[in-house]
Amino acid sequence: DIEILRASGGKPYVLLHNKAKVALSELGGFNINISISHSKHYVHAVAIIDSDIKNLKYWKNSSLKVK
């Protein structure tokens, strides 16, 4: 349900399908940015979800309040 693809310039991007796409939407997210790097012995990846913080379920249900 999750694909990591490469744009024409080489930048990686995330393509979601089925349940993964629904889950992102239910969390209030609308995009996932990804960065991938490697060295001789390690691979590093970071993924960041873009969202409208007022729509995130975590914030709505936590003791932290968004104004």
Side-chain angles (χ1 to χ4, degrees):
D1 288 353
I2 302 172
E3 291 184 81
I4 308 301
L5 303 171
R6 193 177 295 232
S8 59
K11 180 180 175 183
Y13 68 95
V14 178
L15 184 60
L16 301 177
H17 305 279
N18 305 316
K19 290 181 182 180
K21 190 172 185 176
V22 170
L24 178 66
S25 178
E26 287 177 350
L27 288 171
F30 57 85
N31 184 50
I32 301 176
N33 296 290
I34 188 163
S35 175
I36 303 170
S37 183
H38 65 89
S39 63
K40 185 175 182 180
H41 299 287
Y42 300 99
V43 174
H44 312 274
V46 176
I48 299 173
I49 296 174
D50 291 327
S51 67
D52 177 355
I53 197 165
K54 292 179 181 178
N55 290 328
L56 284 176
K57 286 184 178 182
Y58 169 81
W59 293 106
K60 287 182 177 180
N61 297 324
S62 76
S63 60
L64 299 173
K65 298 300 176 189
V66 176
K67 294 180 181 180

